[in-house]
Amino acid sequence: MKKTLILFFALVIFGDTFGQLFPVLGGQRAGISTAQFLKIGVGGRASAMGDAFVAVADDASSLFWNPAGLVQFEDNQVVFSHNSWVVDIKHNFVGAVYHLSDIDAVGVSFTSLTMDDMKVTTEFAPFGTGEYFSFSDLAVSVSYARKMTDKFSFGGTVRYIEETLAQLKMRGILIDLGTYYWTGLGTSRFAVSFTNFGNQLAPDGDVVLIGNRKKSQWQEFSPPTMFRLGFAFEPYQNDIHKVTASVQLNHPNDNSESLVMGGEYTFKERTTKASFILRGGYKFNVDEQNFSLGAGVKMPFSYANVTVDYAYVNFVRLGQAHRLSILLGL
């Protein structure tokens, strides 16, 4: 465990240095995938930890991060997440997890992204024609996870996505796969997730251009496939205090690799059994985004355990994003 602690803190201290010593690969792939809303994180907890969550993944937000995490908790849960994204974009997620037995669980989720209608502009009317068009995204997913042994879990998700841009619609079926492994050394665990894998996507529909020219053939793009490898452990915990540390390597198909790190401190009040949580995270080699902060509170009631989490995500030039999520454990 001491060696693990030394490795983790070395990564925290020298993360930027590593990025300078080794070449940054993959930047030339930027912009080659579609359905970018699938890359926006879910949940105030994960976002506050810098999205370093695939090896934590022990609540219903695992539906997004790592389907193998559905069997890392015991109660049935419902999660609601609202994200005030940049430039007035609204991103919402709702999911539910039901445990079929002690070793397997199923889940469903729904994701939507919306924004205000925008003006239609042309070469001859750059300030608008008087018409408006809309843009929106949605995704519906079904997940299943199973404990193969007391240490190893596996999960998968099938996701239907739909993107609407004015008269055009793009539809597709994507798959997520995830694993979760407890090493047996303290509370350390590794996790791997492979998300948004599927065929090339292209929109359907016709657009009438100037001169009554019609365009109905569109270029295909790959979905935003992401490979994540994470490691997490608790360097300190007892009945009242718990500290969780997480580090994660992200490999997207449409950009450079990145390293993200996060931490979480939980204080559990003995009398009421309520928990108060503080979180922080940092992203290395990620354009625009850098640090994130957040807090949460978990209150046990007779009908459910209610957890409210908030995250602040900083952007270098685009301002900031705020995420609020509510988790009900039934």
Side-chain angles (χ1 to χ4, degrees):
M1 182 58 67
K2 289 183 178 179
K3 292 182 179 179
T4 303
L5 282 169
I6 293 171
L7 175 61
F8 178 80
F9 287 114
L11 286 172
V12 172
I13 296 171
F14 299 111
D16 278 331
T17 304
F18 292 160
Q20 296 170 6
L21 291 176
F22 294 97
V24 176
L25 304 176
Q28 71 278 8
R29 300 193 303 262
I32 66 170
S33 69
T34 186
Q36 292 292 299
F37 78 104
L38 296 173
K39 296 164 65 175
I40 300 176
V42 165
R45 183 185 180 195
S47 298
M49 295 178 68
D51 293 345
F53 201 69
V54 294
V56 179
D58 57 359
D59 60 34
S61 66
S62 303
L63 290 163
F64 174 86
W65 296 102
N66 183 0
L70 303 185
V71 289
Q72 303 306 316
F73 55 97
E74 297 179 353
D75 53 341
N76 302 318
Q77 293 184 357
V78 179
V79 61
F80 306 90
S81 176
H82 173 73
N83 179 6
S84 294
W85 200 234
V86 295
V87 295
D88 296 327
I89 296 174
K90 306 302 180 186
H91 179 263
N92 295 290
F93 176 92
V94 58
V97 177
Y98 178 76
H99 288 80
L100 302 173
S101 68
D102 293 338
I103 62 171
D104 58 353
V106 295
V108 294
S109 63
F110 174 81
T111 307
S112 71
L113 182 144
T114 58
M115 62 184 68
D116 295 338
D117 290 349
M118 292 171 279
K119 292 181 179 180
V120 175
T121 60
T122 68
E123 298 96 321
F124 304 106
F127 299 104
T129 63
E131 299 178 315
Y132 288 81
F133 72 96
S134 61
F135 176 86
S136 63
D137 293 305
L138 66 86
V140 180
S141 304
V142 178
S143 303
Y144 173 79
R146 185 178 181 87
K147 286 186 177 180
M148 310 303 290
T149 69
D150 60 340
K151 288 183 170 57
F152 178 76
S153 303
F154 175 83
T157 296
V158 178
R159 176 177 297 109
Y160 168 80
I161 70 161
E162 182 176 293
E163 187 167 85
T164 302
L165 174 60
Q167 301 93 340
L168 303 179
K169 281 187 178 292
M170 182 177 64
R171 304 174 179 90
I173 301 294
L174 305 177
I175 294 174
D176 296 353
L177 298 173
T179 62
Y180 203 105
Y181 178 69
W182 294 85
T183 67
L185 300 174
T187 61
S188 61
R189 60 268 194 197
F190 284 98
V192 173
S193 70
F194 187 59
T195 57
N196 302 320
F197 174 76
N199 292 328
Q200 299 280 100
L201 303 173
D204 297 322
D206 300 328
V207 172
V208 178
L209 305 175
I210 295 175
N212 289 324
R213 292 174 293 129
K214 182 181 290 188
K215 181 174 176 59
S216 57
Q217 298 296 321
W218 308 98
Q219 182 178 352
E220 292 185 337
F221 293 91
S222 62
T225 305
M226 175 78 79
F227 174 83
R228 297 181 175 98
L229 171 64
F231 172 76
F233 71 109
E234 277 69 36
Y236 178 80
Q237 66 174 335
N238 56 29
D239 293 338
I240 301 177
H241 308 281
K242 183 173 78 169
V243 177
T244 300
S246 179
V247 59
Q248 181 177 299
L249 176 68
N250 298 326
H251 175 77
N253 69 333
D254 60 354
N255 215 319
S256 303
E257 290 72 23
S258 62
L259 181 71
V260 295
M261 298 179 180
E264 178 181 71
Y265 165 72
T266 303
F267 171 80
K268 187 173 183 179
E269 206 280 322
R270 286 183 173 177
T271 304
T272 63
K273 303 299 182 182
S275 297
F276 303 91
I277 309 104
L278 296 176
R279 305 182 180 99
Y282 198 89
K283 298 181 179 181
F284 301 94
N285 196 38
V286 176
D287 290 340
E288 273 300 308
Q289 300 183 54
N290 44 35
F291 72 88
S292 56
L293 300 169
V297 58
K298 181 177 181 180
M299 300 291 294
F301 295 98
S302 58
Y303 57 89
N305 291 321
V306 180
T307 305
V308 179
D309 294 311
Y310 166 79
Y312 168 93
V313 180
N314 187 64
F315 287 77
V316 178
R317 289 173 292 269
L318 297 177
Q320 61 277 323
H322 303 273
R323 289 184 178 92
L324 181 68
S325 60
I326 300 174
L327 185 72
L328 304 177
L330 307 174

